Amino acid sequence: MRKNIVAGNWKMNLNRVEGIALVEEVLAKLPTDNNTHIIFAPAFVYLHKVAKMCANTSKVVAAAQDCSSNEKGAFTGEVSASMLASCSARYVVLGHSERRANFTETNALLKTKVAQAFENDLKVIFCCGESLAQRENGDHFDWIKSQISESLFHLSADEFKNIVIAYEPIWAIGTGVTASTDQAQEIHAFIRDLLVEKYGEEAAESTSILYGGSCKPSNAKELFSSQDIDGGLIGGASLKADDFLAITQSF
Ligand code: 13P
């Protein structure tokens, strides 16, 4: 019932030429019977180009990596959700741990970004995840619960249909250390239970929950075979066409 999704978060990597070449190669090699929803999240500056390149391929769309919490105005350097929508983005990634850490994004701020995204018909890939210290202290469940509930639980069940959750343990991001399938599945099941409690079985069952953190071709199949892991939010391995393609075909 829920979508299998693989999203490539390029972060601050690839220039315009490299980004275009990557999308061209992925689209050219994508199997005709591809069943996975694929999302490219490039930098703002060529988001429109990437979105246009995807326009004729079914199940492939573009996402932004962030948006402003403000609608418009004197916010030099910021990019609004309405600008992203006008560049044909379909999703926006919000609450990535790198933004939470480097730009002090709080749960309350992210709530306002979600509102901006929804005002402009963008779907949201909402990131959550704990640090190693939090996991070692056993605080990870409460932490993830607060991230999700404080930024999202004001939404109606209908609005929540436009949310994809990405669980990204900070200790697994860019480190080469992947959460074990059991560790990831445990958190995904926990998140789905939170959604059941808040929105009921049907809404919870139709929400895609992605795993992110050193996901690569060699571990994607095992991760994605878990009951509550519906795909991945991929960093490093999304920068190489063959690796990204292999992950998209790992269901
Ligand atoms: P890596 O796949 O490089 O660990 O990054 C994961 C991530 O942060 C995706 O948003």
Side-chain angles (χ1 to χ4, degrees):
M1 189 161 65
R2 51 195 186 249
K3 286 182 192 164
N4 288 330
I5 299 174
V6 172
N9 174 12
W10 297 359
K11 310 189 180 186
M12 202 171 72
N13 293 298
L14 305 179
N15 65 27
R16 182 178 162 96
V17 172
E18 293 163 341
I20 290 170
L22 175 68
V23 175
E24 262 168 7
E25 189 177 346
V26 169
L27 295 182
K29 292 182 174 171
L30 193 63
T32 45
D33 61 352
N34 169 58
N35 237 335
T36 305
H37 290 259
I38 297 172
I39 302 172
F40 292 107
F44 291 138
V45 279
Y46 39 89
L47 176 63
H48 187 221
K49 174 67 183 170
V50 169
K52 274 180 30 192
M53 290 177 76
C54 300
N56 296 323
T57 309
S58 119
K59 299 199 170 78
V60 186
V61 298
Q65 297 175 17
D66 181 37
C67 72
S68 173
S69 58
N70 294 289
E71 186 190 341
K72 62 178 174 183
F75 301 99
T76 302
E78 285 280 90
V79 176
S80 71
S82 113
M83 293 169 185
L84 302 177
S86 76
C87 288
S88 307
R90 301 285 291 281
Y91 287 83
V92 57
V93 177
L94 292 177
H96 193 282
S97 59
E98 288 151 15
R99 293 212 59 86
R100 291 178 187 265
N102 299 326
F103 302 94
T104 49
E105 295 198 352
T106 60
N107 294 339
L109 176 84
L110 291 166
K111 185 175 171 179
T112 65
K113 292 194 176 198
V114 170
Q116 284 302 317
F118 280 9
E119 277 291 309
N120 292 283
D121 295 326
L122 294 170
K123 294 178 193 286
V124 170
I125 300 176
F126 183 84
C127 304
C128 59
E130 80 286 359
S131 67
L132 189 57
Q134 285 169 321
R135 175 165 281 265
E136 285 171 351
N137 291 338
D139 293 337
H140 48 308
F141 291 105
D142 283 347
W143 178 252
I144 290 166
K145 182 176 180 178
S146 64
Q147 288 182 312
I148 292 176
S149 61
E150 289 174 23
S151 297
L152 300 178
F153 276 5
H154 62 290
L155 299 173
S156 69
D158 217 38
E159 289 172 319
F160 206 85
K161 288 180 183 152
N162 295 309
I163 298 284
V164 171
I165 304 271
Y167 167 57
E168 299 205 311
I170 296 169
W171 46 274
I173 295 177
T175 57
V177 181
T178 318
S180 70
T181 304
D182 287 348
Q183 284 173 322
Q185 166 59 27
E186 181 184 39
I187 300 292
H188 283 233
F190 169 73
I191 293 171
R192 206 174 302 285
D193 284 347
L194 290 178
L195 303 186
V196 171
E197 218 175 278
K198 173 72 187 169
Y199 293 112
E201 192 82 34
E202 198 188 324
E205 281 301 319
S206 32
T207 302
S208 299
I209 307 178
L210 315 184
Y211 169 78
S214 299
C215 182
K216 44 194 176 236
S218 58
N219 57 30
K221 263 205 178 80
E222 191 186 320
L223 284 161
F224 297 175
S225 66
S226 291
Q227 197 184 342
D228 291 293
I229 303 182
D230 308 309
L233 180 56
I234 318 299
S238 74
L239 304 175
K240 293 191 193 122
D242 288 336
D243 285 357
F244 187 58
L245 272 163
I247 296 171
T248 68
Q249 304 306 307
S250 292
F251 293 93

